[in-house]
Every structure is written in C-alpha cells, then in structure tokens.
Amino acid sequence: RRRGEAAEGDKRSTFQSGQRLRYCRPCGMHQPLRTKHCRDCGRCVRTHDHHCPWVGTCVGEGNRLYFYWFLLAQSVELAVFLCEGVFVFFSDDWHLHGELLVDSPGLVFGLVVIGLLLIMVTALLCFHTYLAMANLTTWENISWENISYLRSMQQDCGSPFSMSLRSNLAAYCCPPWCRLEECGCSPNIAGLKRTEDGWAIWELGEPHLPEVLDMNYCCWCCPDLDHA
C-alpha cells in the first residue's frame, strides 16, 4: 500500500507471523515486519538497513544489493589509487626514493587519507557481508533491544529470519525487481513467500546462525541449533 492510501478504517490491528504490526501515520499503512519509517526519506522502507548520507537515500530490500556492489567498487578503486600512489616512491628495483617523501607532502597526505578511507570502506564491506550471510540488517544489529519482535530473543543466537546460508544469500541477492526465472533460479530459492510486487514476506522462526558464522556463542544458549 502506498503512502497515504490507508483509510481510517484500516487502522485496526493487523498481524504478521503472530506479531501485531505497527501503524505508521505519516505513510498511512501498517508496517510489515522489518520495515522502518525513515524521517530523512519521509517514507517506510522494507527490510530497512540504514539511511546512507553517501548515497542520499535509505538502504533497504530494494537496493541493498546495489549498495553492496557500491562498497565493493569503492574498495577496489581506493586500493588501486593507493597502490599507484605508493609505487611513485619506488624505482623499478623497489628502491625507496626518500627525497620524494619530503618533496611531495601533498601526495603523502593524500595517500594517508586514501589509506584511512580504504580501511573504513573495507570494514563496512566486511560488515555487510556478515549481515547478508546472517540475514540481519544494520538497524536490527544495532537496535535489537528496541525492536518489539526481537527484544525477547538473544541476539547471539542469530536472527529469527535466518535460514540456511544459501537461502540467506539468495534472499539478499534476489531483490524484488529480480526476475528469478531469467537468472536461472527457482522462484522459491530463498524459501520466502513474496507479495505480488515481489517483496519478501518475512516470517518469524527459531533464531538461527549459519555454521560458518558460529563463533560458539550458541553452544550454551541454543544447543539445538549448533548443528543446524
């Protein structure tokens, strides 16, 4: 339902996966699970991750794959620029030209800035790789205790929306606009129900952490999930 479409009668209680959905007055709609209203964008965002000032919009279910490739491209670009700048100070036999360090303070400063940006962007890329594998969002990871349908669960045990590693990555890499049949994928590859528009219908399940991410946190709190 689009912003402002809901009538007064639609404000009655609506449930999804046994959870009462919150009604968003500015958008005039009930928020599906994992949906959050962004004050900066002025609308509700499905599978909300965060509002990114770099790209000037929210990152969510419809564009998070684009954001991931953006981070990857930025990491590669920064790494290339850093290597090219460092190579200026070396000769063909890898002899360091120390005088250039003194004569080119601007280049040295620029390389330091690029190096810091590379560390930051690479760390962000690694973090979003973890989120994709664990079927989490930045919002859920940071605000777990403030989200009504998550606060009763232990965060260390994983997301209640998480399935297998393959299904988590499929859900992340197959956004609503993806035509699964043309990609050679089965429509239910991620094990998700979808709306007519292709948006994921998330269902709460048992907290699950893929084995590749299991750092033995769940061994004591969720022994039955240790080998899932």
Side-chain angles (χ1 to χ4, degrees):
R1 190 184 293 273
R2 295 183 178 179
R3 181 178 179 180
E5 282 187 3
E8 288 297 323
D10 289 336
K11 295 183 180 180
R12 59 182 180 273
S13 297
T14 301
F15 294 83
Q16 178 183 344
S17 193
Q19 298 292 321
R20 182 178 180 179
L21 300 183
R22 181 178 181 181
Y23 184 81
C24 178
R25 292 183 180 275
C27 295
M29 59 171 281
H30 288 93
Q31 296 176 331
L33 294 180
R34 312 189 83 177
T35 300
K36 182 178 183 294
H37 183 85
C38 176
R39 294 181 179 179
D40 295 313
C41 294
R43 62 178 181 270
C44 287
V45 180
R46 281 183 175 265
T47 318
H48 181 274
D49 192 272
H50 70 287
H51 182 86
C52 179
W54 289 8
V55 297
T57 188
C58 273
V59 176
E61 184 176 338
N63 65 350
R64 59 182 178 177
L65 182 61
Y66 284 142
F67 183 74
Y68 186 88
W69 286 113
F70 168 73
L71 292 178
L72 181 60
Q74 289 293 304
S75 298
V76 173
E77 181 182 27
L78 289 169
V80 171
F81 287 163
L82 182 62
C83 291
E84 289 183 347
V86 170
F87 288 159
V88 171
F89 298 105
F90 292 88
S91 60
D92 294 337
D93 59 355
W94 294 100
H95 178 71
L96 177 63
H97 295 291
E99 64 277 5
L100 290 178
L101 295 175
V102 179
D103 297 337
S104 306
L107 178 58
V108 174
F109 177 77
L111 290 177
V112 171
V113 173
I114 291 176
L116 293 175
L117 288 175
L118 178 59
I119 294 174
M120 181 181 68
V121 174
T122 302
L124 191 58
L125 177 64
C126 293
F127 176 62
H128 277 271
T129 300
Y130 163 76
L131 293 178
M133 297 171 69
N135 202 341
L136 280 168
T137 66
T138 301
W139 172 51
E140 292 169 345
N141 186 71
I142 295 176
S143 304
W144 186 282
E145 297 296 332
N146 296 324
I147 301 175
S148 60
Y149 50 85
L150 294 180
R151 64 167 65 108
S152 62
M153 307 177 189
Q154 294 191 18
Q155 187 172 358
D156 290 340
C157 293
S159 169
F161 304 106
S162 176
M163 299 162 281
S164 65
L165 177 62
R166 177 174 177 270
S167 295
N168 289 347
L169 293 178
Y172 190 94
C173 297
C174 297
W177 45 262
C178 179
R179 298 181 179 179
L180 298 177
E181 294 82 359
E182 294 182 4
C183 297
C185 299
S186 171
N188 61 348
I189 184 174
L192 284 175
K193 296 180 181 178
R194 294 186 179 271
T195 66
E196 294 180 355
D197 298 329
W199 299 101
I201 302 176
W202 299 104
E203 298 290 340
L204 285 169
E206 292 295 327
H208 176 265
L209 192 67
E211 286 186 350
V212 69
L213 300 176
D214 190 353
M215 302 300 291
N216 294 323
Y217 290 122
C218 290
C219 290
W220 60 273
C221 62
C222 297
D224 294 336
L225 301 178
D226 187 36
H227 300 291

